[in-house]
Structures are given as structure tokens and as C-alpha cells.
Amino acid sequence: MQGIKHIIFDLGGVILNIDYQLTYKAFGELGVKDFTSLYSQFQGSRLFDDLETGRVAPDVFLEAMHEHVPAAVTDEQIIAAWNAMLLDFPLQRLQLLQQLQLHYNTYLLSNTNAIHLDKFNAILQESRGIPSLAAFFNKVYYSHLIGYRKPEKEAYQLILDENGLDAAETLFIDDTLPNIEGAKAVGLQTIHLQAPKTISEIFKAATSR
């Protein structure tokens, strides 16, 4: 951590526990026979990318999903299945974020969408009594609101430019290798967080040296 003044965090798999298989299973229970293939198909058609960059509104996403589920399935059921992957915020990680705020400028950069944003803030409110993740950071950046998603260099550069950060003094933490490579391309310091390691273990090791 020597020379680091700012930290940019990924969300899913770093701060928020997620399990994509739960969403695959939930859509299967709604009657989607192979959601994995459907997800790949939608990625190819840019539906999910467009949802995550705000080019497609949630109602357009839901309309597209209705083409692949039985007629009786409701919007609410599709939303619940889509959100099934979002699990919990371990208290230890939230406490770490609060501690880091005392020593660093901290930011969140997440590839997400309006449906998931509503849900994970609701999880935080219900479990910890905190209405928004914004409480833990100087500023939060969500792909569907900024129009860029990792590993596009513009996503990282926006944070650097808006906040006057020196990339060499800024650490980026993510659990996805392409996102790490994208961060390196704009000069950020990086940590590729790989399970079962957690950010709590990473910072405990750093502060014990």
C-alpha cells in the first residue's frame, strides 16, 4: 500500500457476495430451459451490455425476457430471478470500508444495472439499516449511470479525471481479470482478488507488514 492514496473497488465478488448459478436456477424454475445459452445469446445481441450501460431501460429488458418465459410469468418473477444472484454484504467487509475511509479516498466502480442497484441497496437497508452503498465511499460509479462498463478505459478514466486522481497513486481491486487488465492500461495499480481470498485478508496482510 506504499504510495497509495486512493482505492477503487469492484462490487460483486469483492464487497457483495454473488452466485450467478442462483439466477440460472431461478430462470430454469420459471421455464427457461438453458439460461446459460440465453445469457450468451443476449450478450451477443448486446442486450445485457446495453442494460449495464443505460442504453436499454429495465422495461425493455423485461419485454425481451418475456419472449423466453411462459406467458404466465410476471415482471416481478423475472426481476426476482434476475436478482437471485445478489446475496449479502458481510459485516467485516463493510467495517473495513469504514476504516479505509479514514485513510484513503475510496470509490466504487461496478458493472451493474438499475434493477440490481435497487436490489442490493435494499439488501443493505434490510440487513444493516443503511440505505445506500454511497455511505461507504467518496463517490460511487455505476456503469448504467455513467454509460461505460469495465474493462472500457473510459470507465476508469472518468473516476481519475472527475476526482483529480493520479493513477500511480490509485489502487483498483476487482475479481475479474479483464477488468484488471483494463485498469492497468490506464496506469492504475491493481489487485486481482481471487477466491477464496477476501478484501479483509488482503488489507490485513498489507497492514501487518
Side-chain angles (χ1 to χ4, degrees), residues 5-6 14 28 39 43 50 52 57 84 89 93 117 121 131 138 147 149 165 191 194 196 206:
K5 297 180 181 179
H6 327 286
V14 174
Y39 185 76
Q43 283 184 313
D50 286 348
E52 286 196 340
F89 292 96
R93 294 179 199 171
L117 174 59
N121 276 334
N138 289 60
R149 55 192 304 279
L165 310 183
I191 292 177
Q194 296 175 280

Side-chain angles (χ1 to χ4, degrees), residues 53-128:
T53 51
R55 297 184 182 97
V56 162
D59 60 338
V60 176
F61 169 74
L62 292 171
E63 184 179 341
M65 288 304 303
H66 274 292
E67 297 176 11
H68 301 276
V69 297
V73 173
T74 65
D75 283 355
E76 289 71 22
Q77 287 175 301
I78 293 174
I79 290 171
W82 181 232
N83 285 338
M85 67 178 76
L86 307 176
L87 301 180
D88 65 306
F89 292 96
L91 180 59
Q92 189 178 30
R93 294 179 199 171
L94 298 179
Q95 290 173 332
L96 173 64
L97 292 175
Q98 289 176 320
Q99 293 167 2
L100 291 174
Q101 281 182 303
L102 301 175
H103 306 285
Y104 304 93
N105 296 312
T106 59
Y107 304 89
L108 181 71
L109 176 58
S110 175
N111 286 351
T112 191
N113 57 84
I115 298 172
H116 281 173
L117 174 59
D118 286 346
K119 180 60 176 179
F120 61 68
N121 276 334
I123 292 171
L124 188 63
Q125 174 67 53
E126 292 163 10
S127 62
R128 308 297 177 196

Side-chain angles (χ1 to χ4, degrees), residues 19-26 36 85:
D19 185 348
Y20 293 106
Q21 295 300 319
L22 293 178
T23 282
Y24 299 158
K25 179 182 177 183
T36 305
M85 67 178 76

Side-chain angles (χ1 to χ4, degrees), residues 7 101 105-109 133-134 136-141 159 162-163:
I7 307 172
Q101 281 182 303
N105 296 312
T106 59
Y107 304 89
L108 181 71
L109 176 58
L133 269 176
F136 295 94
F137 301 94
N138 289 60
K139 193 166 182 180
V140 294
Y141 291 84
I159 300 178
E162 276 198 359
N163 301 283

Side-chain angles (χ1 to χ4, degrees), residues 29-44:
E29 291 172 349
L30 290 182
V32 179
K33 293 182 179 178
D34 188 358
F35 182 75
T36 305
S37 296
L38 180 62
Y39 185 76
S40 298
Q41 174 191 332
F42 278 153
Q43 283 184 313

Side-chain angles (χ1 to χ4, degrees), residues 130-194:
I130 299 170
S132 170
L133 269 176
F136 295 94
F137 301 94
N138 289 60
K139 193 166 182 180
V140 294
Y141 291 84
Y142 298 120
S143 59
H144 70 289
L145 297 179
I146 65 174
Y148 301 110
R149 55 192 304 279
K150 300 171 289 185
E152 296 170 357
K153 66 179 181 180
E154 292 88 352
Y156 312 96
Q157 197 64 50
L158 180 67
I159 300 178
L160 296 175
D161 293 345
E162 276 198 359
N163 301 283
L165 310 183
D166 182 341
E169 299 173 344
T170 306
L171 176 65
F172 174 71
I173 304 173
D174 199 293
D175 64 335
T176 305
L177 186 57
N179 295 344
I180 292 292
E181 296 300 331
K184 287 180 179 178
V186 299
L188 290 167
Q189 306 300 309
T190 63
I191 292 177
H192 182 203
L193 187 67
Q194 296 175 280

